[in-house]
Amino acid sequence: MAAEDRDDKREKVYRTPTAGLWTATGLVIGYLVWAVVLSILTESGHLLNNQGFECGNSEESRLTEEAFLVFLWTGMALPICFMLLLNIWIKRTFYKPLSLLAIFVVFVAMTVTFAKTWEKENEEIEAFKDRYLELIPLTDVPGITQSHANDKNCSMLSNVYRWQAEFKCCGLEGYQDWGPVIPDSCLYEGENKSTGCVGAGYSLVYEKPCLPTVLSLVEKRSSTLWTVMITWITIVGVPASMFVFLMVKCCCWVFCEDCCYKLSLWKYKLSGGVEMITVVFIRKDNNNQPEEGNGKDEEERVSCSNGVVVDVEDGAGEEGADVSLDKNAATRIPLSELRRLQEELDPPPVQHQVRCLCISSRKPRSFYTVMIEEGSPLLPAGAVLADANKPTTCVWAEGPHVFSLEDIVWPEESKVINSLPL
């Protein structure tokens, strides 16, 4: 028996495994693995390019910013995946709208941080370019030669010498940057003298300028990282766009429904329609009223071992006992009829205030509760007579705005809680 109870509780809490649920779980876990693997590749240095083009200028600052971007995005992915898994497998949770909202917030944060990092790197590239263009015209200084990239004591001119030797180029924008005195690192060393070289005085020098070549390599050194990050943003952007679509659709629906409702209400009033009031009719002296056929029903019922009463003859069972819960106890009546109830009933109708179940707070609406005897001539035709001790469905709508009255008509402290016998 205990095992069956645990199985019932498990079925109420967790969803039944299906191919769709396993597919969704696989996608979430795959995204989580993607984020973790990228963090590992970043930490090991396989994702970032630490190539430097200036001696004595460390790339540590750039690498730190790029690594921070990857680690930040991975940290944001972990709680999102956890919330999605809860939403996939657990029934009746608030995680679905919260997960979509969280994904949208993460998408915005990823986009902003990516744009800022990209912009900062482009600014550094422009500063790099301007810094070297200020050296023109170049002057060959005796004693200054090309240096290694890890040389801490070097000048910008030493970097130019190194570029000319490494990339087979001359000058920053061309060999003319050197004027009449061209350094040895510009001299052409290839065997094919018909391409890639140009005559300068009595020597052949490299025709290709150095600065465009270096700038191209500087821009490409982070291309792998940017490609990965753009792919990452695209993956997150798919559910984020779904959230935006749903929000826009919801807002448009609320706006259109509200306008249509106000238009129809305006037409109704122009055509002479009376003002309608929401009223909840509650059975008066319900505890003293014997239910019809109660003695006969008791004879037709049999008590099960667990204390649940089951109707044997009509086969309605628990479904038959819950039919009244499907009836809406909120009734709309004309204002004139409400005034008649106020004059003739004792106690008179009681006024209450309720707010709609909306995202934005709206002006509260009034409704009334009326204690009335069953069969009273004052009870409007078609009105549902609710039980004072048995909460039932009690809502009404004005266009897209829904008002729930159950918690006001049946507050928590007055609700009767029926428990099964132990």
Side-chain angles (χ1 to χ4, degrees):
M1 198 67 183
E4 293 180 358
D5 291 340
R6 286 196 298 269
D7 292 340
D8 292 340
K9 291 181 180 179
R10 189 179 298 109
E11 290 180 358
K12 291 179 180 179
V13 175
Y14 301 102
R15 302 181 192 274
T16 304
T18 61
L21 291 182
W22 286 118
T23 302
T25 303
L27 292 175
V28 173
I29 294 177
Y31 174 72
L32 182 60
V33 171
W34 156 278
V36 173
V37 168
L38 288 181
S39 297
I40 295 174
L41 293 176
T42 301
E43 180 65 24
S44 62
H46 290 83
L47 184 61
L48 305 181
N49 188 344
N50 59 356
Q51 182 181 9
F53 298 94
E54 292 183 283
C55 59
N57 187 9
S58 175
E59 297 294 322
E60 184 176 352
S61 176
R62 176 183 63 85
L63 296 176
T64 301
E65 291 178 358
E66 294 177 351
F68 174 76
L69 189 65
V70 176
F71 296 146
L72 176 63
W73 289 13
T74 302
M76 292 189 293
L78 296 179
I80 293 297
C81 292
F82 178 73
M83 294 175 62
L84 289 175
L85 290 175
L86 288 178
N87 182 48
I88 291 172
W89 289 104
I90 297 181
K91 296 179 179 179
R92 297 180 181 178
T93 64
F94 62 91
Y95 294 109
K96 184 173 183 179
L98 186 60
S99 298
L100 289 176
L101 176 60
I103 291 174
F104 176 74
V105 172
V106 167
F107 173 75
V108 173
M110 292 173 65
T111 304
V112 171
T113 53
F114 176 83
K116 287 186 175 181
T117 306
W118 180 288
E119 182 182 3
K120 185 175 182 180
E121 186 155 324
N122 287 334
E123 290 176 354
E124 291 177 352
I125 293 175
E126 287 297 322
F128 174 88
K129 177 182 177 181
D130 296 339
R131 190 166 64 249
Y132 278 91
L133 288 178
E134 291 177 357
L135 297 177
I136 300 175
L138 301 175
T139 303
D140 186 20
V141 179
I144 298 181
T145 58
Q146 68 184 57
S147 58
H148 296 286
N150 57 359
D151 187 358
K152 301 298 181 182
N153 300 317
C154 65
S155 64
M156 295 173 61
L157 197 58
S158 299
N159 293 324
V160 177
Y161 287 136
R162 181 165 66 90
W163 296 344
Q164 292 178 154
E166 183 177 350
F167 302 122
K168 308 300 181 184
C169 56
C170 185
L172 293 174
E173 295 184 322
Y175 71 92
Q176 298 89 348
D177 296 342
W178 289 105
V181 182
I182 297 178
D184 294 339
S185 57
C186 278
L187 298 180
Y188 183 76
E189 298 178 352
E191 296 181 357
N192 186 5
K193 298 183 179 180
S194 59
T195 58
C197 62
V198 65
Y202 298 100
S203 305
L204 289 177
V205 297
Y206 292 108
E207 184 179 10
K208 181 175 65 175
C210 292
L211 190 58
T213 302
V214 174
L215 288 176
S216 176
L217 294 174
V218 169
E219 293 172 355
K220 290 180 180 179
R221 68 183 171 187
S222 298
S223 59
T224 301
L225 174 68
W226 298 134
T227 302
V228 170
M229 303 310 271
I230 291 174
T231 304
W232 198 341
I233 290 181
T234 304
I235 294 174
V236 179
V238 173
S241 61
M242 292 174 57
F243 173 79
V244 174
F245 173 75
L246 291 176
M247 290 299 296
V248 172
K249 182 179 179 180
C250 181
C251 293
C252 292
W253 177 80
V254 170
F255 177 77
C256 294
E257 286 290 320
D258 195 29
C259 291
C260 292
Y261 172 76
K262 290 180 179 179
L263 180 62
S264 62
L265 184 62
W266 178 70
K267 290 181 178 179
Y268 173 76
K269 291 182 177 180
L270 285 182
S271 61
V274 296
E275 183 178 355
M276 304 296 287
I277 303 296
T278 302
V279 177
V280 178
F281 292 97
I282 301 175
R283 184 181 290 108
K284 187 177 181 180
D285 296 330
N286 180 65
N287 294 333
N288 298 328
Q289 298 289 336
E291 294 185 3
E292 182 179 355
N294 185 56
K296 181 180 178 181
D297 291 343
E298 289 295 332
E299 296 176 358
E300 295 174 349
R301 295 175 184 268
V302 59
S303 178
C304 298
S305 59
N306 61 355
V308 179
V309 177
V310 182
D311 196 324
V312 177
E313 188 165 302
D314 59 15
E318 293 180 1
E319 293 181 0
D322 293 337
V323 171
S324 61
L325 294 179
D326 296 332
K327 297 180 180 179
N328 188 3
T331 305
R332 302 280 285 177
I333 64 173
L335 179 59
S336 58
E337 196 165 337
L338 174 65
R339 290 174 178 171
R340 179 188 173 193
L341 295 174
Q342 290 174 332
E343 294 174 355
E344 300 186 16
L345 282 180
D346 183 25
V350 180
Q351 184 179 13
H352 304 273
Q353 297 286 323
V354 62
R355 292 186 178 275
C356 72
L357 303 175
C358 310
I359 297 177
S360 59
S361 179
R362 295 179 62 87
K363 183 180 179 180
R365 297 291 192 271
S366 296
F367 76 97
Y368 293 82
T369 54
V370 178
M371 302 294 295
I372 190 169
E373 296 179 357
E374 187 173 0
S376 171
L378 296 177
L379 184 65
V384 175
L385 195 58
D387 194 325
N389 298 321
K390 187 176 182 181
T392 186
T393 304
C394 194
V395 295
W396 101 87
E398 295 181 2
H401 308 297
V402 179
F403 300 85
S404 178
L405 316 179
E406 296 176 25
D407 292 336
I408 300 177
V409 179
W410 295 277
E412 290 293 335
E413 59 271 11
S414 66
K415 291 182 180 178
V416 178
I417 302 177
N418 297 320
S419 59
L420 296 176
L422 298 176

